Amino acid sequence: MQRTPRCSRIAPSPTGPLHLGNACTFLVNWALARNLGWRLVLRIEDLDRDRAQAAGDTATEDVLAWLGIDHDGPVVRQSERLDAFAKAMERLAGLGLVYESPHSRSEVREASLALGAPHAADAPAPFPASLRPTDPGAWCFRRRDVNHRLRIEPGAVGVEDEVAGAHTFDPARDSGDPIVWTKAGFPAYQLAVTVDDIAQGVTDVVRGDDLLPSAAIQSIVHRALGHEPPRWWHLPLALEADGRRMAKRDGARSLASLRAAGVDPARVRGLVAGWIGAVERPEPLDPDAFRALVEPNILRRWHARATVSPPRLDERSVAWLHGS
Ligand code: GLU
């Protein structure tokens, strides 16, 4: 029996300068792929035109090269693949799964509140199925600039994660029918990422665990498009010293500015090796030495530890990066 070659991807969005949290995820992804003999492709997720920065992607490629991360094959840019995303939408429309949804955010919130649907105060209200159109003519894809949603069925969706273990989500209850095409006339994240993972033959998705709930939605999109979902490897996120999530807007700590300040990338790799628990104390590591330390069991132990005490960029780490 012929086995499909395994393949992973690094998929940054050029919406701001990459930070040390991105370096951690991408270095681990690269090391895993290189150790386990997977292909590794680079995909620039530049569909968010408002936020994507001009020339952001060449900056991304420079920073990845500085970290010692190489990839296979040509760089894919999602902005150049709009027709492929539209084709997938046509397929979903042919299956009766997508519909035009002109509802505003407040309409969604009101309808959801009226049903008493529980949701976290800081999360968008789940889209209630009662807002699905009754007019069969709205269940279509005419490439119009209006939000389109994917009908998803209620029920538990399991995500067997190679790092984070077994999780169950109920996306119909938690978020409702996801937007798959936006009113700006672009594919939405959940559609674009799935179509490209299929097109690029991605078998192993390695990324931050803020996207774990998305794995349930993407599993549904994979199956709707006639494919089995990939294996998932969701990694803990490194935090700022005060416990906040790292954000691309904090430019001062960006990888580009560390590089401009003369930081040795061997120290970035060493810091990451310390975060994941592969070394006891950070030490400068060349790419091969870093790679040799990364294996699935280290990542599982890191995940178990990180639920109690996630890696933080404390002052000592920052000083160490700068060579003291
Ligand atoms: N482009 C997404 C981001 O930068 C990641 C998508 C993914 O890995 O699925 O957050």
Side-chain angles (χ1 to χ4, degrees):
M1 204 174 75
Q2 218 192 341
R3 298 252 241 91
T4 335
R6 286 173 72 167
C7 175
S8 188
R9 77 320 193 256
I10 289 181
S13 305
T15 50
L18 297 177
H19 51 64
L20 284 160
N22 300 124
C24 178
T25 306
F26 296 160
L27 277 165
V28 170
N29 193 351
W30 168 80
L32 212 48
R34 293 297 175 237
N35 280 342
L36 300 178
W38 308 342
R39 271 172 61 73
L40 180 65
V41 294
L42 173 60
R43 180 168 80 225
I44 308 289
E45 303 209 319
D46 55 355
L47 289 173
D48 186 346
R49 294 227 173 143
D50 293 345
R51 292 198 297 149
Q53 298 186 331
D57 54 345
T58 43
T60 300
E61 288 180 61
D62 286 351
V63 163
L64 292 176
W66 176 69
L67 289 171
I69 294 174
D70 62 351
H71 61 91
D72 303 307
V75 181
V76 167
R77 290 187 175 73
Q78 289 192 319
S79 57
E80 293 169 5
R81 292 184 34 76
L82 294 180
D83 286 342
F85 303 129
K87 261 209 185 82
M89 284 296 290
E90 281 158 16
R91 182 163 173 185
L92 295 171
L95 295 166
L97 290 176
V98 292
Y99 57 90
E100 295 187 343
S101 168
H103 312 94
S104 68
R105 222 172 278 179
S106 56
E107 274 175 284
V108 173
R109 197 173 39 238
E110 266 164 42
S112 168
L113 281 178
L115 289 173
H119 73 278
D122 55 348
F127 183 84
S130 57
L131 286 183
R132 286 177 186 157
T134 44
D135 167 15
W139 290 77
C140 64
F141 177 63
R142 283 173 289 181
R143 216 168 167 167
R144 296 201 312 154
D145 294 357
V146 51
N147 283 337
H148 289 61
R149 293 179 185 267
L150 174 74
R151 188 186 82 207
I152 56 175
E153 302 305 329
V157 180
V159 175
E160 280 294 330
D161 195 278
E162 303 288 332
V163 181
H167 289 262
T168 330
F169 298 94
D170 186 344
R173 184 199 59 202
D174 298 340
S175 49
D177 296 347
I179 294 177
V180 281
W181 192 269
T182 72
K183 58 179 185 231
F186 288 98
Y189 164 67
Q190 305 290 12
L191 179 84
V193 78
T194 307
V195 168
D196 274 346
D197 282 343
I198 293 170
Q200 294 184 281
V202 170
T203 58
D204 292 83
V205 167
V206 183
R207 61 187 179 190
D209 66 8
D210 53 329
L211 290 171
L212 187 58
S214 284
I217 297 174
Q218 289 160 25
S219 295
I220 294 173
V221 183
H222 265 91
R223 294 196 175 106
L225 290 170
H227 288 261
E228 271 310 296
R231 292 184 188 80
W232 310 105
W233 304 69
H234 286 93
L235 307 174
L237 294 180
L239 303 177
E240 296 289 350
D242 61 7
R244 274 179 313 135
R245 284 253 301 268
M246 286 190 191
K248 287 188 178 139
R249 58 184 174 274
D250 295 341
R253 290 280 173 74
S254 73
L255 298 172
S257 50
L258 294 177
R259 179 187 181 196
V263 166
D264 179 355
R267 286 188 175 249
V268 178
R269 289 184 290 263
L271 179 71
V272 169
W275 277 347
I276 72 173
V279 292
E280 231 160 81
R281 297 165 52 80
E283 55 184 283
L285 293 169
D286 67 29
D288 282 342
F290 174 83
R291 184 176 58 73
L293 294 170
V294 178
E295 48 92 21
N297 278 327
I298 286 264
L299 302 180
R300 292 180 191 121
R301 283 200 290 272
W302 171 35
H303 183 271
R305 253 192 342 272
T307 46
V308 187
S309 101
R312 287 181 192 229
L313 183 62
D314 53 23
E315 253 171 59
R316 251 197 12 223
S317 313
V318 175
W320 186 79
L321 276 179
H322 289 275
S324 47

